[in-house]
Amino acid sequence: MSADSGFDASGEERDLPGERRDAALGLFAEYGASNRLTLQLKADWQDGEDAFVDYNGRGPIEIGATWQVWRDDRNAVSLYGGYTWAGEGRNAGYAQPGVGEHDWEARVSVGRSLGDMGARWGMEGSFVELQAARRLRDGLPDETRIDATAGARIGRDWMVLGQAFGGAADGGSRWLSLETSVVRDFGGWSVQAGWRQTVAGREAAIARGPVLALWRRF
């Protein structure tokens, strides 16, 4: 991700003192411990620079669990609880590298299959999902986050995704990023390619760049 401008405290776009670059190589793993309980792990390695600092090091490590509270043929509701150990990289997009200590997050997710509605347009398995979270942070402001995803399968091996990632730090930064991507399945493997860009915010860099992912199902 790179940025040469950002949103100020009033939401107006301003040039940054210098170009900002952030790169991350991440690991995300899920394990279904039961029909309702899923364990999760997130970790990454970061490298970046801006007008004031160059950094390279481990990013935050997050462990958590998702409990499926309710489900029927079309809808699902789940709760997530997680703990994050901060790293030497950026533990928040608006913070300097290494700032932050420990985080706790509670998240609720609501998903719905669109069923026949998507099939009419040749998009099988279409769905929407909305997530809301509260993150309690040590060394950084607490945050409220809202994420949304819409996706649909095209044929047997392709899927398109549209995602929005929004958040607000108490008394500070706000951000909204949009991401579009395409996923191609190869048996137990999937390759995802997309583009993410910040479209609104306050005290946040206007970052843009490609997102690439390789998934493996066991």
Side-chain angles (χ1 to χ4, degrees):
M1 306 289 285
S2 62
D4 52 22
S5 62
F7 296 109
D8 63 15
S10 62
E12 298 294 324
E13 183 175 349
R14 307 291 184 188
D15 290 338
L16 297 177
E19 184 179 9
R20 170 173 163 171
R21 178 185 61 82
D22 297 287
L25 178 64
L27 171 68
F28 175 78
E30 285 188 331
Y31 176 73
S34 71
N35 290 336
R36 289 182 174 269
L37 179 64
T38 301
L39 307 180
Q40 298 180 11
L41 168 68
K42 298 179 184 179
D44 63 24
W45 185 268
Q46 300 181 5
D47 179 86
E49 60 182 339
D50 58 26
F52 306 103
V53 64
D54 294 350
Y55 70 94
N56 182 286
R58 178 184 63 79
I61 296 176
E62 181 174 345
I63 57 174
T66 298
W67 178 258
Q68 189 178 92
V69 177
W70 178 78
R71 180 173 183 169
D72 63 14
D73 292 339
R74 298 283 293 276
N75 307 284
V77 179
S78 63
L79 298 176
Y80 170 83
Y83 166 78
T84 301
W85 175 30
E88 297 86 19
R90 292 190 192 275
N91 297 297
Y94 53 84
Q96 289 298 306
V99 177
E101 296 294 337
H102 306 278
D103 303 339
W104 295 92
E105 181 176 295
R107 180 178 293 262
V108 59
S109 302
V110 180
R112 177 174 175 81
S113 168
L114 299 182
D116 294 340
M117 183 183 300
R120 295 193 191 103
W121 299 92
M123 297 183 293
E124 302 288 344
S126 55
F127 68 93
V128 292
E129 182 188 46
L130 181 65
Q131 301 184 10
R134 181 64 175 169
R135 180 169 285 240
L136 305 180
R137 316 200 73 165
D138 181 8
L140 286 168
D142 296 341
E143 295 175 5
T144 300
R145 299 182 179 186
I146 298 178
D147 303 331
T149 299
R153 286 203 166 273
I154 301 177
R156 180 178 178 181
D157 298 323
W158 291 90
M159 181 168 64
V160 292
L161 292 171
Q163 296 174 277
F165 305 97
D170 290 358
S173 179
R174 283 156 175 60
W175 61 92
L176 174 62
S177 297
L178 300 181
E179 179 179 320
T180 58
S181 61
V182 177
V183 183
R184 175 70 160 90
D185 293 340
F186 299 92
W189 294 86
S190 295
V191 178
Q192 180 181 3
W195 184 266
R196 180 182 293 191
Q197 179 161 339
T198 307
V199 296
R202 296 182 180 180
E203 299 179 20
I206 302 176
R208 59 186 65 86
V211 177
L212 301 173
L214 179 66
W215 304 93
R216 177 72 168 106
R217 292 173 293 279
F218 298 95

